[in-house]
């Protein structure tokens, strides 16, 4: 039952073949199997990819609910993957078609790269002809051919290179970035100690996404990617940049190279070539690290698990809704939305990128890669490839020079990973724009008490990989400090304000806006950048820091579940942070395979707790004898973690025992994930560029005066884009008592977690993905 209507898989049952293995595939397998079973379909595994499809026999086996348990934390693919020369031939595809027809399978779900998906589409295109040949050869009957007259195809892209056009992220990319950043963080400490230059080669034969995001996330001095070869004479430019960085006091140089990097004349640029250049020309102590296949392995990140799960659900829905006229589609991610795109349109645009690079149309190649890639490239260029102006502020602030724009930046609320990346990019973007950047220490307290000093280009070197808040942060709101704050805004001649933080930053910004009526000094452009593990700031689907916290919770739950592997019949109850916002509990539940996640937004009572206990009792009768329950810290004042632990312990006597874990402040600390580093970097840079435009608009009669609603905004991710929304307009969507937005996008994917945990509930398909077109989508990339 989906969306209140009974739907039947009238053309057979889904089957899942694989080709290339990457982290996160198992989450997609698990979701596809379980949602397929939930919908009443019979689901099959195809082991060893297309080769298993050709060979048939034991390679094509029924999948069960229990057969996909304990898969989420495993890298690679548990059902195997293999390249198949046989499937490339028509004879091989006939064998594959025969195997499917005999089992009544006419729905095919394929996870792989563009080669695997192109092969699937060819298989679908030839299907009728293959069946005719099989009937003529006596391999199948005419009745069997009629029953299997049409083949439905849906694809999910699994590729660490993120080289498939039409999706912002492919399954496996985020996990690969985690492996890369672990290496970068490890080698930078050594390199700084010895004043070394490090050259890191990452995968990406035809796509530079991994190299580009790595460079953005670690603040690399240079990046080489296939889509945009360096200008002629790059050798001189590179040496000059490295020398300039050392001259500014930097003890470390980092150069990122994609394995497919090339020069303008089409020749490969290798890490050894760069090392020789730096060593011979500059005499720097230089080391090269080639990561290789370590990027493909390891535990999947929380993002990849959630992405794989969401894509698996959408893939089954796409198969159920497919008709003979529906083109083979690929399930993609656009911003924060799941979308369906015609498979061959995506393949064609991917080929267009290769053609553009071959023809030297590198700007077109960047645009064809998509909006996300283009934004990453533009941000990196601004922060790394533009020499900062020689205008470092003096130690004494000018209090009279009205022509000099001073932009202050502060952290508000609890610290979180990624804050420092946002500060770094905001500071450097401001300096590039010609502004004087001022650091405000300890939040609104520091602004009120004059804890303000200049912050320079080199001051923020290396900040992207540091957790917490280097500026210092407090939860104090400005309401009782408005007089002192207004005096210091005037004293230090502050013309614009960047506020990075959580719900306190949002409320503090509102209080400053409301104070404009009384204090003219508050009439300056302001921007709030959401940064909190709770992900509870109105105006943004995501907050900086939430991804790092989510990965911490997910990896901890993995360890907890593993600890019960030998014990059996054990249920773990884990309390997460988040205030009244259930984002962390819900998403960690989806990523870790929880049986339930209790949150404030979804009210629950004793009957719900009783149902969950009964669910676990039934689960203990299966081969899966472990349970995981998550509880958001403020989900219910009476049903506390201790209460739920006691209830479960009592009701589970003789069937299962319980353990309790309160994760606490470990969720706020740690090294920022690649997502939080790049998200923070892009948010910081975009906020200052927006402030620069606002300052021009608000400059009147020799002074800055901003009092319109759109001069004080929250910068947030909304579905597909970063947008600026006036603070005053967001008040209506805010539950101030419980410090959460009234509408939260992730609530609509909570049913997925429950379905995957085998609860009999209805899946809300009111926002299912419609078929779009990648060509139309690409035309708006520059907006």
């Amino acid at each position: 039952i989906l969306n209140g209507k009974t739907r039947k898989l009238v053309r057979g049952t889904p089957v899942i073949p694989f080709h290339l293995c990457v982290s996160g595939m198992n989450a997609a397998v698990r979701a596809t199997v379980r949602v397929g079973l939930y919908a009443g379909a019979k689901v099959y595994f195809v082991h060893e990819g297309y080769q298993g499809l050709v060979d048939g026999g034991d390679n094509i086996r029924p999948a069960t609910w229990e057969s996909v348990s304990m898969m989420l934390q495993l890298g690679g693919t548990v059902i195997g993957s293999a390249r198949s020369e046989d499937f490339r031939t028509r004879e091989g595809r006939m064998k594959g078609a025969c195997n499917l027809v005999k089992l009544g399978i006419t729905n095919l779900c394929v996870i792989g790269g563009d080669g695997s998906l192109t092969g699937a589409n060819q298989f679908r295109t030839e299907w009728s002809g293959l069946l005719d040949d099989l009937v003529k050869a006596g391999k199948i009957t005419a009745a069997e051919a009629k029953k299997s007259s049409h083949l439905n195809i849906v694809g999910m892209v699994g590729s660490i290179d993120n080289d498939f056009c039409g999706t912002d992220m492919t399954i496996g990319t985020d996990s690969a970035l985690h492996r890369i950043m672990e290496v970068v963080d490890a080698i930078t400490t050594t390199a700084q100690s010895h004043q070394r230059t490090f050259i890191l080669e990452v995968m990406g034969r035809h796509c530079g996404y991994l190299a580009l995001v790595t460079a953005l996330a670690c603040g690399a001095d240079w990046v080489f990617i296939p889509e945009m070869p360096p200008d002629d004479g790059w050798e001189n430019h590179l040496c000059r940049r490295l020398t300039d960085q050392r001259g500014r006091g930097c003890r470390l140089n980092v150069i990122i190279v994609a394995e497919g990097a090339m020069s303008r004349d089409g020749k490969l640029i290798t890490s050894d070539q760069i090392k020789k250049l730096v060593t011979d020309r500059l005499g720097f102590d230089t080391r090269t690290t080639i990561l290789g296949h370590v990027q493909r392995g390891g535990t999947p990140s929380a993002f990849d698990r959630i992405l794989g799960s969401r894509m698996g659900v959408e893939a089954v829905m796409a198969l159920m809704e497919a008709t003979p006229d529906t083109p083979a589609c690929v399930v993609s991610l656009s911003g924060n939305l799941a979308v369906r795109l015609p498979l061959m349109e995506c393949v064609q645009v991917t080929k267009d990128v290769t053609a553009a690079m071959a023809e030297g149309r590198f700007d077109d190649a960047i645009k064809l890669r998509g909006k996300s890639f283009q934004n990453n490239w533009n941000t990196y260029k601004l922060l790394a490839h533009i020499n900062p102006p020689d205008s470092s502020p003096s130690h004494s602030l000018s209090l009279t020079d009205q022509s000099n724009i001073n932009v202050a930046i502060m952290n508000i609320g609890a610290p979180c990973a990624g804050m420092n990346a946002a500060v770094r990019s905001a500071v450097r973007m401001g300096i590039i724009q010609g502004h004087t950047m001022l650091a405000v220490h300890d939040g609104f307290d520091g602004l009120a008490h004059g804890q303000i000093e200049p912050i320079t280009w080199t001051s923020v070197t290396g900040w992207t990989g540091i957790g917490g808040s280097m500026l210092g942060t407090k939860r104090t709101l400005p309401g009782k400090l408005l007089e002192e704050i207004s005096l210091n805004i005037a004293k230090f001649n502050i013309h614009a304000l960047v506020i990075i933080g959580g719900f306190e930053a949002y409320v503090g910004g509102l209080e400053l806006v409301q104070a404009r009526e009384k204090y003219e000094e508050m009439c300056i452009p302001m921007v709030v950048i959401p940064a909190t593990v709770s992900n509870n700031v109105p105006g943004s689907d995501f907050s900086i820091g939430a991804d790092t916290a989510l990965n911490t919770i997910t990896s901890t739950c993995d360890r907890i579940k593993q600890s019960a592997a030998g014990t059996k019949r054990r249920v773990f109850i884990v309390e997460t942070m988040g205030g009244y916002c259930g984002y962390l509990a819900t998403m960690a539940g989806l990523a870790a395979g929880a049986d339930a996640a209790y949150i404030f937004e979804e009210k629950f009572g004793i009957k719900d707790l009783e149902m969950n206990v009964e669910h676990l009792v039934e689960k203990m009768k299966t081969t899966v004898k472990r349970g995981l329950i998550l509880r958001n810290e403020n989900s219910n004042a009476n049903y506390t973690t201790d209460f739920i632990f006691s209830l479960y312990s009592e009701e589970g006597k003789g069937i299962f025992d319980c353990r309790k874990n309160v994760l606490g402040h470990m969720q706020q600390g740690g090294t920022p994930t690649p997502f939080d580093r790049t998200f923070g970097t892009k948010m910081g840079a975009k906020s200052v560029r927006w402030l620069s435009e606002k300052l021009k608009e608000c400059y009147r009669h020799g002074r800055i005066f901003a009092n319109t609603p759109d001069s004080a905004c929250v910068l947030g991710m909304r579905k597909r884009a970063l947008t600026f929304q006036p603070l005053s307009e967001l008040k209506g969507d805010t539950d101030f008592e419980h410090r959460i937005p009234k509408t939260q996008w992730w609530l609509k994917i909570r049913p997925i977690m429950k379905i995957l945990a085998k609860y009999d509930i209805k899946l809300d398909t009111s926002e299912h993905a419609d078929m779009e077109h990648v060509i139309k989508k690409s035309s708006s990339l520059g907006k």
Side-chain angles (χ1 to χ4, degrees), residues 143-221:
E144 286 175 325
K146 184 178 181 181
K147 187 178 179 182
S148 302
S149 61
H150 182 73
L151 179 68
N152 292 320
I153 293 284
V154 66
M156 288 180 273
V157 191
S159 166
I160 68 166
D161 293 335
N162 202 31
D163 56 354
F164 193 80
C165 292
T167 184
D168 288 347
M169 286 284 274
T170 56
I171 298 169
T173 301
D174 190 65
S175 298
L177 287 169
H178 275 251
R179 302 294 89 76
I180 294 169
M181 291 313 303
E182 286 167 8
V183 174
V184 171
D185 289 342
I187 66 175
T188 50
T189 51
T190 303
Q192 282 178 329
S193 301
H194 295 275
Q195 293 198 60
R196 282 179 178 155
T197 296
F198 249 98
I199 302 165
L200 190 72
E201 183 179 306
V202 301
M203 283 185 168
R205 192 170 301 161
H206 305 293
C207 179
Y209 184 87
L210 288 180
L212 177 56
V213 174
T214 300
L216 199 60
C218 73
D221 298 289

Side-chain angles (χ1 to χ4, degrees), residues 5-75:
K5 297 179 181 178
T6 302
R7 297 183 181 181
K8 295 180 180 179
L9 291 178
V10 294
R11 285 179 232 289
T13 53
V15 56
I16 314 167
F18 280 79
H19 188 53
L20 206 61
C21 85
V22 297
S23 291
M25 274 188 169
N26 289 326
V29 175
R30 174 178 176 269
T32 306
V33 168
R34 290 191 169 179
V35 175
L37 293 171
Y38 162 85
K42 188 174 183 181
V43 186
Y44 288 84
F45 286 138
V46 175
H47 292 264
E48 311 308 329
Y50 284 129
Q51 192 59 49
L53 193 64
V54 173
D55 294 342
D58 287 341
N59 289 302
I60 307 177
R61 302 177 218 161
T64 66
W65 199 277
E66 293 173 41
S67 66
V68 292
S69 294
M70 296 302 289
M71 290 174 61
L72 280 170
Q73 73 275 21
L74 301 178

Side-chain angles (χ1 to χ4, degrees), residues 314-352:
E314 193 59 47
V316 174
M317 292 173 64
L319 284 174
M320 289 196 303
E321 295 169 5
T323 69
D325 298 324
T326 305
C329 79
V330 60
V331 179
S332 302
L333 182 73
S334 177
N336 191 31
L337 296 177
V339 297
R340 299 178 198 169
L341 299 169
L343 192 156
M344 293 316 294
E345 280 188 18
C346 296
V347 170
Q348 184 57 53
V349 176
T350 303
K351 290 178 178 177
D352 290 345

Side-chain angles (χ1 to χ4, degrees), residues 28 53 57 89 122 179 183 196 222 247 379 461 510 731 748 774:
L53 193 64
T89 67
Q122 183 181 2
R179 302 294 89 76
V183 174
R196 282 179 178 155
W222 199 281
T379 303
T461 299
L510 272 174
K731 287 172 65 177
K748 292 197 173 181
V774 68

Side-chain angles (χ1 to χ4, degrees), residues 244-258:
D244 288 346
Q245 289 296 89
R246 288 290 174 95
R248 292 192 182 97
C250 296
R251 298 176 58 85
L252 164 70
N253 297 122
V254 177
I255 300 168
I256 308 296
V257 188

Side-chain angles (χ1 to χ4, degrees), residues 571-698:
V571 174
F572 289 93
I573 297 159
V574 178
E575 181 184 300
T576 69
M577 275 186 166
Y580 287 95
C581 180
Y583 176 83
L584 288 179
T586 296
M587 289 308 199
L590 187 56
D595 295 282
Y598 300 123
I599 64 170
F600 170 78
E601 293 92 342
E602 192 173 281
K603 305 304 180 186
F604 61 95
I606 195 67
K607 289 184 179 180
D608 299 291
L609 295 172
E610 182 182 7
M611 180 184 70
N612 295 148
V613 171
E614 291 172 356
H615 167 81
L616 287 168
V617 168
E618 291 300 311
K619 188 176 183 181
M620 296 302 157
K621 297 176 183 178
T622 70
T623 58
V624 187
K625 301 183 186 301
R626 286 171 294 275
L628 177 65
I629 304 293
L630 299 185
R631 179 189 175 275
N632 168 244
E633 59 184 347
N634 289 339
S635 57
N636 189 292
N638 295 311
Y639 297 134
T640 63
T641 302
D642 288 336
F643 176 91
I644 292 174
F645 169 72
S646 299
L647 175 68
Y648 274 60
S649 297
E650 178 64 28
E651 296 298 319
K653 277 183 179 177
I655 303 169
F656 59 80
D657 63 359
C658 295
R659 295 291 185 274
K660 177 181 65 177
N661 296 78
V662 179
L663 300 186
H665 280 74
M666 65 182 291
Q667 298 161 82
Q668 284 185 337
T671 303
T673 59
F675 179 90
D676 277 333
R677 297 184 201 203
T678 53
F679 190 46
T681 298
K682 286 188 282 190
M683 296 274 273
K686 192 175 183 71
S687 67
V688 173
R689 293 177 70 187
W690 177 82
L691 282 176
S692 296
E693 292 302 313
K694 283 296 169 187
L695 285 164
K696 292 176 186 176
E697 292 177 17
C698 301

